[in-house]
Amino acid sequence: MDSSIFGYIAIGSGILALLFSFIKFNSISKVSEGNDRMKEISGFIHDGAMAYLGRQNKAIIIFLVVVAVLLAVAISWQTAVCFIFGGLFSMLAGYVGMTAATKANVRTANSARESGMGKALDVAFSGGAVMGMVVVGLGIIGITVAYLVFKQETIVTGFSFGASSIALFARVGGGIYTKAADVGADLVGKVEAGIPEDDPRNPAVIADNVGDNVGDVAGMGADLFESYVGSILSGITLGVLAFGSDGVFYSLAVAAVGILASILGVFFVKGNKNPQKALNMGTFSSAIIAIIGSGILSKMILNKFSPFIAVTVGIVVGLLIGQFTEYFTSGDKKPVQKVAKESETGSSTNIISGLAVGMKSTALPIITIAIGIIVAYFASNGASNGSEGLYGIAIAAIGMLSTCGMTIAVDAYGPIADNAGGIAEMCELPEEVRTITDKLDAVGNTTAAVGKGFAIGSAALTALALFASFTAAVKLDGINVTKPEVIAGMFIGGMLPFLFSALTMEAVGTAANDMIQEVRRQFKEMPGIMEGTTQPDYKKCVDISTSAALRQMVIPGVLAVVTPVLIGILLGAESLGGLLAGSLVTGVLMAIFMSNAGGAWDNAKKYIEDGHHGGKGSEAHKAGVVGDTVGDPFKDTSGPSLNILIKLMTVVSLVFAPLVLEYGGVLLNLVK
């Protein structure tokens, strides 16, 4: 059987995903939005989200054009074309996903009011499914068409570079936006003014709800779009070395069967009482279907089962990391409950306990990833054929991300449920409605944390596989860590995630300060707000978050793109390899630490609000709010952005490998 047919099957699966997304979008649109007040609040959120996305995309298009011109001159016009399409497809996925999410939030709230838990879960999850299917559909169509048209894996790297660039700006910009609004709303509204969360009197409340969409829907979708495309790219580049074209088409086939598994998994998400159980059923069902399908394809295309073992390893590692993340961030587990208890003695002990939880949480995921790498390599015949072993690692990354459609659907469900709760509160819907949306939101907090853990795990495997592709591209058999230039590269690479995190956290702090001052001003100058006779100026707060996010996302983005090129040109390919290795190790560790510490602080606060350790208004609650505020940029800005940093630098190195080969080591040669 000619394996090239699986390229067209991959495109067909992508088209099927887009059609399924369209059907889900239409089903959401048919659900009632509720009363006029609900439509008004929903309109504020939708308009704010779309205004931000429009301004962000205008800025990003300028970046795309400039970099495309540089690529056309320095590398090739074909790479530049792929780069443009990679960026545009990522932007399109974010736009569709954001539109669906801002349609689904108010309809979820109204479904909870009119029909109860089952219908509300269905609407919220359908909104997430639109995002998930658009991401995998556009991703597999884009990279497969690029390979079939240009027939060169080196050119296809441009598509992944475009996706990575957009992902970084979307994650960083969205993260700054959402946390500036969240911190401002919490510190002034809840702590200083003593009004409830999502109170319509809070001027930052609309910006906060908009932030859930731009950060946790568009940003998260761009993040996993980039991981998904990057994993397939690594399968293509290493597949050629290991099995020729058969290795390429098996990579595409695994991704295609994962799409079909995700679509089937959506139908397993049903439930009137336990939304967590329903979502888990969909996740595990799609994983099992993907494992069975990849096993059959392994025998059909490669005539061996060893790559199938690697795929299974990737899927299992992803599921395990999700479970570890849930343990360290769920309010039902001991780590979070310990943070809540430590809050009784103030903010300091809350902070110390949360930091400790985040640090401890790195151990099990890292050990699991390490075991997964070793098993995938040697199970794929790595002991006797290094190319096949490295392909095993790449195919493990594809396996982990094969059910990305389901993973994103479950993850994007969270902010939709959160928005639904906010709308229910602002529109003063009956208490039983808020009870339903609170339950959906609580599950959404866990799915969001698990989604971040999954994104980090997939980033580690994808970056490692792309790193192997880079060493092949620059003709390095190995990297000698005793060489001073390699050690220098490792130190610089290890430092970058810390510098990057500092820049993004400072950006949140600066933007949050502007938001706090604005909310305080409105409370002071417009006393009718607290009396309920004057509507706050929501647009001003939305504009503050938007402007700050767009302004502050530039430097971190440029840092990620420019640094590997400079190190490669100045110090050479081996030093650049050291940079990538150093950033991979510290980046993954920092990402896990920050995401889980932030998740633990967030759910410790919610655990206290549920009536433990004094409940709302207690000293423990005040400490919990402070911890949650510190954790916000950890889990929603810096931590998730590090996933993209380590992958983007590896993709940039791969794209510019010809330049590094020709001109690399200019400064090093002068010193010598």
Side-chain angles (χ1 to χ4, degrees):
M1 183 179 182
D2 184 3
S3 62
S4 63
I5 192 173
F6 287 99
Y8 299 100
I9 290 173
I11 294 172
S13 71
I15 294 171
L16 182 63
L18 295 180
L19 288 173
F20 187 75
S21 177
F22 179 74
I23 292 168
K24 280 291 180 185
F25 189 90
N26 277 345
S27 72
I28 295 167
S29 300
K30 292 175 182 177
V31 177
S32 171
E33 294 178 79
N35 59 41
D36 290 341
R37 177 62 173 163
M38 294 171 72
K39 292 177 183 176
E40 180 186 31
I41 295 296
S42 172
F44 286 144
I45 296 170
H46 174 81
D47 292 346
M50 290 305 165
Y52 171 77
L53 202 61
R55 287 174 62 177
Q56 175 184 267
N57 287 346
K58 285 178 183 176
I60 289 174
I61 284 173
I62 296 171
F63 170 83
L64 284 177
V65 171
V66 171
V67 175
V69 171
L70 292 175
L71 282 174
V73 173
I75 308 297
S76 69
W77 68 265
Q78 295 98 325
T79 305
V81 169
C82 287
F83 171 78
I84 288 287
F85 275 99
L88 291 177
F89 275 29
S90 180
M91 290 163 65
L92 178 59
Y95 176 82
V96 174
M98 185 95 86
T99 304
T102 53
K103 273 181 170 288
N105 54 18
V106 67
R107 289 167 171 83
T108 299
N110 192 53
S111 295
R113 183 178 70 148
E114 294 183 347
S115 307
M117 174 71 77
K119 182 63 175 177
L121 170 64
D122 179 62
V123 174
F125 179 70
S126 294
V130 171
M131 182 80 197
M133 297 306 161
V134 167
V135 164
V136 295
L138 291 175
I140 199 168
I141 289 171
I143 199 161
T144 304
V145 169
Y147 179 77
L148 292 177
V149 169
F150 295 112
K151 307 291 186 185
Q152 291 184 40
E153 62 275 9
T154 52
I155 292 173
V156 180
T157 58
F159 188 87
S160 184
F161 181 24
S164 296
S165 301
I166 301 308
L168 187 69
F169 288 122
R171 250 314 185 190
V172 173
I176 294 168
Y177 185 111
T178 184
K179 291 306 104 182
D182 197 3
V183 170
D186 280 356
L187 286 183
V188 184
K190 290 170 69 174
V191 177
E192 294 181 10
I195 58 178
E197 189 170 4
D198 293 320
D199 192 304
R201 293 172 294 177
N202 192 329
V205 72
I206 296 296
D208 188 10
N209 280 276
V210 170
D212 291 334
N213 292 285
V214 300
D216 294 336
V217 177
M220 177 273 302
D223 182 353
L224 287 173
F225 180 88
E226 179 243 9
S227 284
Y228 185 71
V229 167
S231 69
I232 298 174
L233 172 65
S234 66
I236 289 173
T237 54
L238 294 173
V240 168
L241 298 176
F243 297 105
S245 62
D246 285 350
V248 173
F249 291 116
Y250 180 62
S251 301
L252 295 172
V254 171
V257 80
I259 289 177
L260 298 177
S262 296
I263 291 173
L264 292 173
V266 169
F267 293 101
F268 285 90
V269 181
K270 301 287 182 184
N272 291 319
K273 295 182 179 179
N274 191 333
Q276 183 69 69
K277 185 178 179 181
L279 294 171
N280 286 343
M281 180 64 73
T283 300
F284 289 118
S285 299
S286 59
I288 292 169
I289 295 168
I291 289 172
I292 294 170
S294 62
I296 296 170
L297 291 168
S298 182
K299 185 66 176 174
M300 285 177 61
I301 300 173
L302 302 176
N303 199 31
K304 56 170 63 180
F305 279 113
S306 53
F308 157 66
I309 297 172
V311 171
T312 305
V313 166
I315 293 173
V316 171
V317 167
L319 292 173
L320 285 175
I321 291 174
Q323 295 305 304
F324 297 147
T325 305
E326 181 180 352
Y327 175 75
F328 283 103
T329 58
S330 172
D332 297 329
K333 309 297 182 183
K334 287 184 179 179
V336 168
Q337 292 175 5
K338 188 174 186 298
V339 176
K341 181 169 177 54
E342 295 288 342
S343 303
E344 291 181 355
T345 49
S347 301
S348 299
T349 45
N350 170 281
I351 300 296
I352 292 169
S353 183
L355 289 172
V357 167
M359 290 176 182
K360 280 198 296 185
S361 73
T362 62
L364 288 174
I366 290 295
I367 292 169
T368 303
I369 290 169
I371 293 172
I373 289 167
I374 292 170
V375 173
Y377 182 87
F378 288 106
S380 301
N381 197 33
S384 56
N385 188 318
S387 295
E388 289 187 20
L390 292 174
Y391 179 66
I393 295 173
I395 209 72
I398 296 175
M400 185 184 287
L401 286 155
S402 62
T403 56
C404 200
M406 172 58 72
T407 303
I408 294 173
V410 172
D411 202 346
Y413 147 90
I416 293 171
D418 190 4
N419 267 201
I423 291 169
E425 179 74 26
M426 285 184 274
C427 298
E428 300 178 347
L429 298 184
E431 187 63 33
E432 58 268 22
V433 174
R434 188 66 208 232
T435 300
I436 292 172
T437 57
D438 280 350
K439 188 168 185 179
L440 293 173
D441 184 25
V443 173
N445 288 328
T446 302
T447 61
V450 170
K452 289 184 178 74
F454 176 86
I456 295 164
S458 65
L461 282 184
T462 301
L464 181 62
L466 289 171
F467 179 63
S469 301
F470 164 75
T471 57
V474 294
K475 299 177 174 59
L476 284 175
D477 293 328
I479 296 174
N480 187 348
V481 296
T482 64
K483 288 185 176 181
E485 63 267 30
V486 175
I487 295 172
M490 290 177 70
F491 272 118
I492 294 170
M495 168 274 295
L496 282 174
F498 289 87
L499 176 61
F500 186 84
S501 298
L503 290 172
T504 51
M505 290 184 73
E506 281 184 343
V508 171
T510 301
N513 183 64
D514 293 342
M515 184 68 71
I516 288 168
Q517 297 303 323
E518 174 60 23
V519 175
R520 284 174 176 167
R521 181 194 69 79
Q522 290 196 34
F523 279 146
K524 183 179 180 181
E525 297 179 7
M526 304 163 67
I529 290 176
M530 293 300 288
E531 297 167 7
T533 57
T534 302
Q535 180 167 286
D537 186 355
Y538 299 128
K539 287 186 178 179
K540 180 65 175 175
C541 292
V542 169
D543 186 62
I544 287 173
S545 270
T546 301
S547 300
L550 296 176
R551 187 173 61 251
Q552 302 285 348
M553 73 181 186
V554 175
I555 294 177
V558 171
L559 178 74
V561 174
V562 172
T563 303
V565 178
L566 279 178
I567 294 296
I569 297 296
L570 295 176
L571 299 180
E574 206 169 354
S575 183
L576 176 53
L579 175 101
L580 298 177
S583 65
L584 175 59
V585 172
T586 60
V588 172
L589 282 165
M590 282 282 286
I592 296 171
F593 156 61
M594 298 183 85
S595 293
N596 288 348
W601 275 317
D602 184 7
N603 283 325
K605 179 201 70 174
K606 289 182 170 64
Y607 184 75
I608 295 169
E609 288 177 344
D610 286 340
H612 304 92
H613 307 293
K616 291 184 179 180
S618 65
E619 290 303 311
H621 183 233
K622 291 177 182 177
V625 171
V626 172
D628 179 37
T629 305
V630 174
D632 275 337
F634 267 49
K635 68 180 173 64
D636 290 326
T637 308
S638 301
S641 299
L642 288 172
N643 310 334
I644 304 165
L645 175 73
I646 59 178
K647 289 175 292 183
L648 177 57
M649 290 200 301
T650 313
V651 170
V652 169
S653 303
L654 190 54
V655 169
F656 287 94
L659 280 184
V660 174
L661 265 178
E662 187 171 351
Y663 302 108
V666 173
L667 180 61
L668 190 64
N669 292 332
L670 285 175
V671 172
K672 289 180 178 179

